[in-house]
Amino acid sequence: MAAVARRLGVAPSTLRTWDRRYGLGPSRHTGGKHRRYCASDIGRLELMQRALLRGASTAEAARYALQQMPKSDGAAPETPAQPLPPPAEHLTAAQNGAAARRLRSAAVALDGRAVQQTLDDAIGGAGAIDAWDGVIAPVLEACGAGWPGAPAGVEVHALLTECVLAAIVRATPVLDHPRNQRPVLLSRVPGEQDPLPLHVLAAGLAVRRIGSQLFGLPLPGPALSAAVRRSSPAAVVLWSERAGNADPALFPEVSRGGLRSRLFAVGAGWRSPMLPERVELLSGLRTAADRIEYVLVGN
């Protein structure tokens, strides 16, 4: 499974979710209970990936792959192959709400296993960015504010944060051959406390086979400038959620020495009038992933 995950540029947990939910798993049996992916299994997964890149939901992409390459064991639908239907770009509010309630209940109960399973299902079904926007971030925000009638304290928020980080890291494939020759450097600005949004962006880029270099700790200006000089990234992304932390002077500092890296400011802390001319302001994680992919490698 690990070799197939590397080939496709997805996490092994994503392959397990696709197998469990849609039957897109290995079909060749070896000794005992083990199964192995064959060429047709990988072909279906590649069809599914192409449908996902066209904007299909995970369920629609799986159905399309099984229709185009039916399984010989009869597991595939018997309906004739159909063109890929116009997809819905995001999960419905009802689906997000149900997943958020499950995540909230598991976190309040301090059931780490249930939290991890719920996170893996949400990320495997929708992708890291959509799962973050529709399920994870709202629950974290509510947890931080405190839930009426629920014993949500520091320990609940701590457990949830650690589980989210672990789930996002699991869902971030390690790329042998990224589409971009030079990485995207991702960093929080000094003073930003939450590392999770940048991990989500790194996961969203990795699924698109865009390689990045993520600094989990916020780097001060001189260290950030040194990192840019030494790695010569194709793009530099600075994340700021709070306006008080957003220092536009960081951008001229990281672009000293004639480096031609593209510069992006991402997060609610930035304001367009405050940014230098070369810096592009991106409103959210999905917009950032779309724009970075387009700028670096096109669609």
Side-chain angles (χ1 to χ4, degrees), residues 211 233 253:
E253 186 165 1

Side-chain angles (χ1 to χ4, degrees), residues 183-266:
V184 179
L185 189 148
L186 307 174
S187 179
R188 290 177 282 158
V189 300
E192 286 292 331
Q193 300 299 315
D194 188 4
L196 294 177
L198 274 186
H199 282 277
V200 173
L201 179 56
L205 291 172
V207 170
R208 301 164 186 241
R209 302 195 64 78
I210 303 296
S212 64
Q213 174 61 63
L214 169 64
F215 289 94
L217 295 175
L219 297 178
L224 183 60
S225 180
V228 171
R229 288 196 306 271
R230 293 172 64 182
S231 61
S232 298
V236 176
V237 176
L238 298 185
W239 169 266
S240 177
E241 185 64 23
R242 299 180 183 275
N245 297 326
D247 182 5
L250 286 171
F251 287 103
E253 186 165 1
V254 301
S255 58
R256 287 177 181 172
L259 292 174
R260 300 302 299 172
S261 303
R262 294 294 294 262
L263 303 176
F264 298 98
V266 185

Side-chain angles (χ1 to χ4, degrees), residues 9 23 25-26 31 34 64 81 91 104-105 107 113 120 131 138 163 166 178 194-195 212 217 226 236:
H34 298 287
Y64 172 75
L91 294 176
R104 171 190 184 277
S105 298
R113 182 175 180 180
D120 285 347
C163 289
D194 188 4
S212 64
L217 295 175
V236 176

Side-chain angles (χ1 to χ4, degrees), residues 49-131:
Q49 278 198 313
R50 285 196 286 273
L52 287 170
L53 288 174
R54 289 173 55 189
S57 70
T58 311
E60 288 170 335
R63 183 168 60 250
Y64 172 75
L66 287 168
Q67 287 174 342
Q68 297 296 322
M69 294 182 65
K71 284 190 173 182
S72 59
D73 58 7
E78 296 182 358
T79 55
Q82 300 292 329
L84 185 64
E89 292 187 357
H90 305 286
L91 294 176
T92 66
Q95 289 172 308
N96 282 336
R101 286 191 294 273
R102 290 194 300 272
L103 183 60
R104 171 190 184 277
S105 298
V108 171
L110 295 181
D111 188 342
R113 182 175 180 180
V115 170
Q116 292 282 13
Q117 185 63 62
T118 303
L119 290 169
D120 285 347
D121 287 345
I123 295 170
I129 292 178
D130 280 354

